[in-house]
Amino acid sequence: MPDAANSNAAPTDLIELGRISAAYGVKGWVKVQPHSANAEVLLSASQWWLTRPVPELARGAVASAPVAIKVLQVRTQGATVVAQLAGIADRDQAEALRGYSVQAPRGSFPAPEEDEYYWVDLIGCALYTNANGEATLIGVVGEVLDNGAHAVLKVLCQKAGAEGLEPVLDAKGRPAEMLVPFVRAHIHAVDLAARRIDSDWPADL
């Protein structure tokens, strides 16, 4: 692992953007597989924070602290991003970073365009539907997927219970999930401050 770009402690708002999947070329460039189709944060960040992967077999292993590294050059390469990082001069050094997670502080993200949202900001938002004429909670966004044409919200269904909200279970007793297209036709409003998304998606499981 190269020396850190600086010795400051890692920011508290780091967001994982992708993972280094391989070396690229023979001059120390790395190839990164972004976690979403939108790689603009990887392309705009002047430094990345890299975290060493924890081997799956090493139970109880503690993840290493993220280390900052300066991005010298970066560009898209098909569906991936390739970059030259400070202190990485050859293919062997680049290969040694395979599996490292690539992170950046949420506060450093470029401002999105109007009616555009970073997927990480949608996770944790409550999804409501007015399909039946009144606002009804469907659940909470647990993940955002990409089907190639648009984003899809993976919603963990919830309902009001005796002690507050509780998971909705399917016929097999497992927590129910719902996939909701994140498109203007079904999404009416997004209020990130209130952590709420309003839609007309049917609530029937």
Side-chain angles (χ1 to χ4, degrees):
M1 182 72 179
D3 292 336
N6 58 60
S7 58
N8 295 336
T12 58
D13 61 343
L14 287 179
I15 301 297
E16 185 172 316
L17 304 173
R19 287 186 178 270
I20 296 176
S21 58
Y24 180 76
V26 297
K27 296 184 178 180
W29 285 56
V30 296
K31 180 183 291 186
V32 178
Q33 184 64 54
H35 286 332
S36 77
N38 185 351
E40 67 179 67
V41 180
L42 284 169
L43 298 173
S44 65
S46 60
Q47 73 175 20
W48 295 344
W49 291 81
L50 304 185
T51 302
R52 183 190 307 274
V54 177
E56 294 183 6
L57 297 179
R59 300 199 174 193
V62 178
S64 61
V67 174
I69 186 169
K70 185 176 181 181
V71 180
L72 302 179
Q73 299 183 69
V74 62
R75 67 172 187 269
T76 56
Q77 183 71 28
T80 65
V81 169
V82 295
Q84 180 185 26
L85 306 176
I88 307 299
D90 59 42
R91 186 176 182 85
D92 289 341
Q93 288 179 309
E95 278 290 347
L97 296 179
R98 183 192 294 267
Y100 275 66
S101 67
V102 180
Q103 302 161 294
R106 174 61 185 87
S108 70
F109 288 17
E113 299 293 329
E114 185 176 358
D115 289 335
E116 291 186 353
Y117 304 91
Y118 285 113
W119 292 6
V120 66
D121 293 339
L122 301 177
I123 295 173
C125 288
L127 178 70
Y128 287 80
T129 179
N130 63 2
N132 297 323
E134 60 182 52
T136 303
L137 176 68
I138 293 179
V140 174
V141 179
E143 187 177 353
V144 182
L145 311 173
D146 181 7
N147 70 0
H150 53 73
V152 177
L153 305 179
K154 183 177 180 180
V155 181
L156 308 176
C157 299
Q158 295 184 342
K159 64 179 180 180
E163 300 182 0
L165 296 178
E166 59 186 34
V168 174
L169 303 181
D170 63 17
K172 295 184 178 180
R174 299 171 301 189
E177 300 175 346
M178 183 178 292
L179 298 179
V180 179
F182 190 69
V183 295
R184 190 182 300 273
H186 296 296
I187 302 299
H188 295 166
V190 177
D191 187 339
L192 294 180
R195 309 299 293 154
R196 175 175 175 139
I197 301 172
D198 287 284
S199 75
D200 64 1
W201 194 251
D204 298 333
L205 293 175

